Structure formats: C-alpha cells, structure tokens
Amino acid sequence: MARAGIVVAVTGGIVACVFAWREVRVTRTTMMAQQAADSRRSGEKLHAERVQHVRLLQVLQSRNGELRSKLNTSRAEAARLSQETAQLRGDKAALQVQLSEQLAAEAEVLALPRRISGRRDAADIWDGDAAPTVIELQALANPPVLPGEQRQHA
C-alpha cells in the first residue's frame, strides 16, 4: 500500500508537472502573441507618426522656400529703393544749389533802417526815403518826458 501510495503521489506529481508545463507553454504563447501584437501596434503608430513628421517637414520646407523667395524679392526691392533714394537726394541737392544760385542772381539787397539814438522830431522822421514805422509814429504821439519836466500830480 505504501508503494501504491508512492506511485499515486509520483503519478500525481508528474501529471501536475505536465499540466504546469502546459500552462506555462500556453501562457508563454499567449504572452508572445500579445507582445507581437503590441510590437505591431507600436510599429504602426511609429510609422504613422513618422509619416506625419515627413508631411510636416514638407510643409515647413515649402513655407521656408516661399519665405526665402519673398526675402530675396524684398532685398531686391530694398536695394532698388535705396538707389532711388540716393538719386532723389542727389537731385534735391542739385536743385537746392540751382535755386540758391538763381535766388542770388535775382536777389535785391535792401538796406535795413538804422536806429538813431536821441530825440527825433516829426521833420526827422518824414525826411527819410521811406515812410515812418508804427513805432516811430507812436514815439511822436507820446514823446518821452525828461526827469526835469515831469509833472507832479496833486
């Protein structure tokens, strides 16, 4: 009976080991299939992301090309405008010189009236070549009072 018990125990152990190994094999196969599926999904996601990045790079490169062409156009326009500005400045300087020469040729030199110190009377003011100024007329209307001639008020 002891031998039969040992045989049953050994047979039970072998059967348990076979089932355990079978379970390990099934679990390993399942895990490997899941890992392969995860790897495939990860690869697909990575591929989709790379395709999106390639499209983004193409858009950025085309935009960069457009901006470069606009920059070259703007630089050419700036150079043209700079040349035109320099030409206009030269024309302005030439016109100023021509205008100053023409004004110098046509200029009429007038003598400025001189201020005469001292008292003047009406005969002195009207004797000159020109008519008296407003200030001179005002001086005639209100002659200055010398200190000895000041009137005292009551």
Side-chain angles (χ1 to χ4, degrees):
M1 196 72 151
R3 285 185 184 176
I6 292 177
V7 172
V8 171
V10 171
T11 306
I14 291 175
V15 171
C17 280
V18 168
F19 283 133
W21 282 110
R22 188 178 292 167
E23 183 68 27
V24 166
R25 223 175 320 160
V26 169
T27 303
R28 179 188 282 163
T29 306
T30 306
M31 292 301 263
M32 298 224 3
Q34 285 179 353
Q35 187 178 15
D38 288 345
S39 178
R40 211 173 304 115
R41 278 193 301 269
S42 175
E44 289 170 358
K45 285 182 182 180
L46 184 62
H47 178 70
E49 188 175 340
R50 285 183 181 167
V51 168
Q52 184 180 5
H53 287 167
V54 167
R55 277 191 240 134
L56 177 65
L57 284 175
Q58 289 172 347
V59 168
L60 290 176
Q61 286 174 346
S62 66
R63 180 69 178 147
N64 193 19
E66 291 172 9
L67 291 175
R68 280 187 182 157
S69 66
K70 285 182 181 179
L71 178 65
N72 290 338
T73 304
S74 297
R75 283 181 178 165
E77 182 70 15
R80 186 187 65 76
L81 290 175
S82 176
Q83 289 175 349
E84 187 176 336
T85 302
Q87 181 182 3
L88 289 174
R89 283 185 183 142
D91 292 348
K92 178 187 172 193
L95 287 173
Q96 284 177 335
V97 168
Q98 185 181 5
L99 180 64
S100 66
E101 289 173 355
Q102 190 174 15
L103 287 177
E106 295 175 1
E108 183 179 334
V109 178
L110 299 175
L112 294 175
R114 288 190 276 166
R115 187 172 211 181
I116 301 173
S117 61
R119 293 188 65 184
R120 297 178 61 188
D121 57 356
D124 292 339
I125 291 175
W126 293 101
D127 284 347
D129 294 337
T133 63
V134 174
I135 294 177
E136 292 172 337
L137 290 176
Q138 189 177 18
L140 281 176
N142 301 319
V145 179
L146 297 175
E149 298 177 0
Q150 287 182 349
R151 295 189 298 176
Q152 295 191 0
H153 296 292

